Amino acid sequence: QVQLVESGGGLVQAGGSLRLSCAASGVTFSMYAMGWFRQAPGKEREFAAAISASGGSTYYADSVKGRFTISRDNAKNTVSLQMNSLKPEDTAVYYCGASPLSGMVLRGRMDYWGQGTMVTVSS
């Protein structure tokens, strides 16, 4: 049984910060690249950030570069997304996903998806 569970979403004012977490179970976590996608109301799901299986490489959408940081703790089977300087346009449901290769994660071609956690940024 494979499960990815996101947490940490909520309501925050513009300029504030949130830290999202994704806990994995039922998989060999260290073998998977991980990523975060987000879906705003009425829009398609889009790439936000990704990290390689080892944690040695990270990737960010231009819209979040310099503000978001993705990290992972393979010993605890978790991946996190630190979000700073939040903007109203960051409002979305944020989804955690996993795939063996970073290239697949970047394309949204996941083996596994979490259920999502809602982030609302007020102006």
Side-chain angles (χ1 to χ4, degrees):
Q1 182 75 22
V2 176
Q3 192 171 36
L4 302 179
V5 180
E6 301 97 332
S7 62
L11 175 65
V12 65
Q13 292 185 352
S17 298
L18 282 175
R19 186 175 180 88
L20 306 183
S21 294
C22 174
S25 62
V27 297
T28 304
F29 184 72
S30 62
M31 294 182 65
Y32 286 85
M34 304 293 294
W36 290 93
F37 276 65
R38 63 187 187 179
Q39 188 166 24
K43 293 190 174 183
E44 295 184 352
R45 192 173 298 189
E46 67 175 10
F47 169 75
I51 188 167
S52 62
S54 69
S57 299
T58 57
Y59 311 87
Y60 299 95
D62 287 343
S63 58
V64 308
K65 278 181 182 173
R67 300 188 299 119
F68 290 11
T69 303
I70 189 170
S71 61
R72 67 190 296 157
D73 186 340
N74 285 353
K76 296 183 177 180
N77 288 7
T78 59
V79 61
S80 298
L81 187 68
Q82 178 66 46
M83 305 185 296
N84 298 327
S85 302
L86 283 162
K87 305 174 181 179
E89 50 262 45
D90 295 319
T91 295
V93 177
Y94 283 71
Y95 297 90
C96 174
S99 196
L101 299 174
S102 296
M104 300 297 285
V105 168
L106 288 166
R107 292 170 172 82
R109 303 296 296 271
M110 307 292 193
D111 284 3
Y112 310 105
W113 286 105
Q115 85 290 346
T117 186
M118 183 70 201
V119 172
T120 302
V121 184
S122 62
S123 60

